[in-house]
């Protein structure tokens, strides 16, 4: 129902107060946009101008990886980040659970290289959000180990290209 009449960017960001109240927190320091493209530029701008937002994470979805350069998204990304990086810190999540979804690591490496080549490329954090599917053993934590085929396919990304490691998990807040 709400998709038939989506909120405008300013109105959507104004709802952050309601979300904070619902969660019982004083601030929402980070806002993540899961699908980055030029259509969310206005929303990113509104979030960047909100005093509570300190970090904006922009997600580059799996389907955009092979076409990232050809769709001129790197220029859109550069324009958005450069317009607002004096107000907020930007982080970029390249892909989402690529191992679980069969994403070619070469596509991820190409997008990371394109981001690093921008004027802001060395000033932002880049991650690749993985799922627990990459783990051969996850408990107990001190015995944790990656699956062999994950490490073989993503070793260069893990060792050389990302700034921080992310594993998606579900956090449930009971009300």
């Amino acid at each position: 129902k709400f998709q038939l009449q989506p909120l405008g960017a300013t109105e959507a960001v104004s709802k952050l107060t309601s979300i904070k109240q619902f969660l019982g927190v004083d601030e929402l320091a980070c806002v993540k946009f899961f699908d980055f493209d030029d259509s969310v530029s206005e929303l990113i701008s509104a979030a960047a101008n909100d005093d509570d937002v300190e970090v904006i994470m922009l997600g580059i979805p799996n389907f955009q990886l092979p076409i990232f350069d050809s769709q001129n998204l790197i220029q859109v990304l550069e324009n958005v980040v450069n317009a607002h990086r004096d107000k907020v810190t930007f982080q970029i999540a390249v892909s989402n659970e690529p191992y679980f979804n069969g994403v070619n690591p070469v596509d991820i490496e190409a997008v990371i290289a394109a981001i690093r080549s921008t004027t802001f490329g060395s000033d932002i954090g880049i991650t690749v959000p993985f799922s627990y599917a990459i783990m051969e053993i996850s408990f107990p934590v001190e015995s944790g180990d990656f699956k062999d085929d994950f490490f073989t396919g993503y070793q260069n990304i893990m060792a050389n290209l990302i700034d921080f490691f992310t594993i998606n998990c579900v956090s449930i807040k009971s009300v």
Side-chain angles (χ1 to χ4, degrees), residues 138-153:
S138 62
F139 187 83
V141 175
E142 60 273 5
S143 299
D145 199 12
F146 296 114
K147 290 182 177 178
D148 289 338
D149 63 333
F150 163 76
F151 206 72
T152 301

Side-chain angles (χ1 to χ4, degrees), residues 33-95:
F33 294 88
F34 285 90
D35 292 336
F36 174 78
D37 63 27
D38 58 350
S39 70
V40 297
S41 296
E42 183 183 354
L43 193 54
I44 293 167
S45 178
N49 288 311
D50 186 282
D51 291 336
D52 286 337
V53 177
E54 297 172 15
V55 176
I56 293 177
M57 180 175 279
L58 303 174
I60 310 297
N62 295 336
F63 75 88
Q64 284 181 340
L65 299 176
I67 59 168
F68 195 73
D69 279 337
S70 65
Q71 296 293 313
N72 205 26
L73 290 173
I74 194 67
Q75 187 60 52
V76 174
L77 180 65
E78 190 162 21
N79 292 343
V80 166
V81 171
N82 284 335
H84 304 292
R85 69 182 188 171
D86 61 327
K87 300 172 198 154
V88 295
T89 299
F90 281 93
Q91 298 174 342
I92 311 239
V94 178
S95 186

Side-chain angles (χ1 to χ4, degrees), residues 90-152:
F90 281 93
Q91 298 174 342
I92 311 239
V94 178
S95 186
N96 187 41
E97 301 182 352
Y99 173 82
F100 182 72
N101 290 303
V103 174
N104 187 338
V106 172
D107 291 336
I108 296 169
E109 291 176 12
V111 170
I112 291 173
I115 293 168
R116 292 285 187 218
S117 72
T118 64
T119 57
F120 62 82
S122 61
D123 298 333
I124 59 160
I126 295 176
T127 190
V128 175
F130 293 101
S131 70
Y132 270 110
I134 66 175
M135 303 301 294
E136 186 69 42
I137 300 168
S138 62
F139 187 83
V141 175
E142 60 273 5
S143 299
D145 199 12
F146 296 114
K147 290 182 177 178
D148 289 338
D149 63 333
F150 163 76
F151 206 72
T152 301

